[in-house]
């Protein structure tokens, strides 16, 4: 009888201090993998065997270079990069400042792309690698008053698919992991600095109530962690994966695919009660 041989992987994981990233980090190290996990305040990352805390701020391109290169020098190579860190904003799109929009794209797109560009050549010269980009179902089913977040996640999903089209060989594989609502600290970190506006007040309040209700009832981040752990063991992982409750992650995207845009917008407004 053939026994499967466990090989510990070296993994760079952004956003390991909370929520989905923390759950992934805990499960990976429990399984024997070595994880270089990041936070803007690395002291927030729990002291665990095989979990190496690192400072990384996606808003600062120098910090991204420094964190990845320091971790690579320590690790020697990375088998897996998990682009997970991120935060959102909440407020009317027309009142979002250019700075707030740019910040969402820096944190959710440019920072992650910078990490991919650092990781890919290193993975290729090592022989193989897997990149998991945590985007969101909001890239396909946008949440009202999160326009820049939805757009940045959609940009990251499109960039991921574009690279999947272009990759000349299968030594580096890339997965777009799209969670639906997952019960984490995400809403506590949401930036609500967009200008208050009486025209939107009622809809903003109704949507936030729904967003909070969905978050409270959502699956735990450990469900995403289990999916990530399964992905890193697959020799040919699927290019796109959805995780979350069955309605959000399976039924709604399937129905949405066949609906005309007018009906999609009507349905989403109904869902959020606006
Ligand atoms: N929860 C959901 O319902 C949901 C759904 C779809 C997609 N997602 C995505 O899943 C990912 C993880 O979110 P979560 O729900 O686990 O939220 P969370 O509990 O708030 O965790 C966010 C993580 O990202 C890090 N982070 C935030 N801003 C950062 C920045 N500028 N630079 C570096 N690190 C930063 C945080 O670290 P520090 O604050 O310690 O730096 C933290 O570790 C995000 O990309 C999010 O968009 C979440």
């Amino acid at each position: 009888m053939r026994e499967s041989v466990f090989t510990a992987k070296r993994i760079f994981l952004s956003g390991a201090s909370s929520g989905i990233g923390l759950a992934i980090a805990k499960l990976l190290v429990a399984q024997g993998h070595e994880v270089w996990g990041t936070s803007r305040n690395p002291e927030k990352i729990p002291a665990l065997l095989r979990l190496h805390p690192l400072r990384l701020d996606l808003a600062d391109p120098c910090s991204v270079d420094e964190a990845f290169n320091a971790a690579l020098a320590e690790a020697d190579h990375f088998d897996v990069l998990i682009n997970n860190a991120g935060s959102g904003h909440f407020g009317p799109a027309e009142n979002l400042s250019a700075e707030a929009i740019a910040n969402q794209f820096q944190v959710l797109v440019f920072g992650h792309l910078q990490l991919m560009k650092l990781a890919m050549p290193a993975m290729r010269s090592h022989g193989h690698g897997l990149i998991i980009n945590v985007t969101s179902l909001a890239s396909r089913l946008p949440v009202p008053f999160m326009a820049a977040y939805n757009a940045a996640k959609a940009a990251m999903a499109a960039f991921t698919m574009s690279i999947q089209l272009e990759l000349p060989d299968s030594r580096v594989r890339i997965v777009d992991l799209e969670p639906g609502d997952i019960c984490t600290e995400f809403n506590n970190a949401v930036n609500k600095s967009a200008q208050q506006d009486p025209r939107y007040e009622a809809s903003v309040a109704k949507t936030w109530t729904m967003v909070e209700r969905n978050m409270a009832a959502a699956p735990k981040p450990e469900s995403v962690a289990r999916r990530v752990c399964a992905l890193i063991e697959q020799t040919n992982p699927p290019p796109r994966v959805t995780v979350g409750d069955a309605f959000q992650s399976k039924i709604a995207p399937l129905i949405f695919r066949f609906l005309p845009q007018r009906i999609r917008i009507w349905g989403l407004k109904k869902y959020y009660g606006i």
Side-chain angles (χ1 to χ4, degrees):
M1 200 171 79
R2 268 182 63 191
E3 276 181 38
S4 65
V5 183
F6 171 78
T7 319
K9 292 189 167 47
R10 287 163 184 247
I11 297 162
F12 187 99
L13 165 66
S14 71
S17 63
S18 150
I20 293 172
L22 179 59
I24 294 173
K26 284 182 174 169
L27 191 54
L28 287 173
V29 297
Q31 292 186 346
H33 300 291
E34 294 276 339
V35 177
W36 279 259
T38 81
S39 162
R40 286 164 294 180
N41 303 302
E43 58 278 11
K44 276 168 56 184
I45 297 176
L48 291 173
L49 193 65
R50 294 184 289 275
L51 177 54
H52 312 271
L54 277 171
R55 191 191 168 276
L56 174 141
D57 183 354
L58 287 166
D60 172 7
C62 294
S63 154
V64 176
D65 275 344
E66 277 168 22
F68 187 83
N69 290 329
L72 185 62
E74 234 178 83
D76 174 66
H77 69 271
F78 284 116
D79 302 289
V80 184
L81 161 67
I82 305 173
N83 270 323
N84 161 74
S87 60
H89 72 90
F90 198 80
E94 73 166 281
N95 294 350
L96 275 178
S97 65
E99 196 190 350
I101 298 168
N103 178 268
Q104 282 283 267
F105 275 77
Q106 175 57 42
V107 169
L108 297 176
V109 184
F110 304 134
H112 293 307
L113 295 183
Q114 192 181 341
L115 283 167
M116 283 176 75
K117 287 185 75 165
L118 289 164
M120 287 177 75
M123 287 175 165
R124 202 169 278 122
S125 60
H126 179 65
H128 65 89
L130 171 68
I131 297 173
I132 300 175
N133 290 330
V134 179
T135 65
S136 173
L137 274 168
S139 63
R140 289 190 267 164
L141 293 97
V143 182
F145 305 111
M146 295 188 75
Y149 177 84
N150 302 328
K153 289 293 189 185
M156 197 59 202
F159 204 101
T160 302
M161 188 173 176
S162 305
I163 297 199
Q164 289 166 341
L165 285 173
E166 293 171 20
L167 276 177
D169 56 56
S170 57
R171 282 185 294 168
V172 178
R173 295 186 185 272
I174 307 187
V175 176
D176 175 6
L177 178 76
E178 300 189 345
D181 283 316
I182 303 294
C183 187
T184 69
E185 300 301 307
F186 185 88
N187 285 353
N188 300 340
V190 155
N191 176 347
K192 291 183 172 173
S193 66
Q195 204 188 317
Q196 302 284 326
D197 191 328
R199 288 171 303 163
Y200 290 110
E201 219 168 277
S203 314
V204 166
K206 278 184 186 167
T207 305
W208 185 250
T209 303
M210 187 68 181
V211 164
E212 288 272 63
R213 195 181 301 155
N214 284 347
M215 178 68 92
K220 300 267 179 286
E222 286 71 22
S223 58
V224 186
R226 284 192 293 276
R227 197 62 204 263
V228 166
C229 288
L231 282 173
I232 70 168
E233 298 306 334
Q234 283 180 257
T235 44
N236 188 14
R240 187 169 78 177
V241 176
T242 58
V243 274
D245 77 26
F247 177 74
Q248 283 190 356
S249 69
K250 302 280 179 287
I251 300 165
L254 182 69
I255 297 171
F256 216 61
R257 197 184 297 171
F258 301 104
L259 294 177
Q261 191 72 344
R262 192 186 295 277
I263 305 294
R264 288 175 175 169
I265 292 167
W266 173 84
L268 283 169
K269 287 176 82 150
K270 272 261 176 240
Y271 181 72
Y272 287 99
I274 59 175

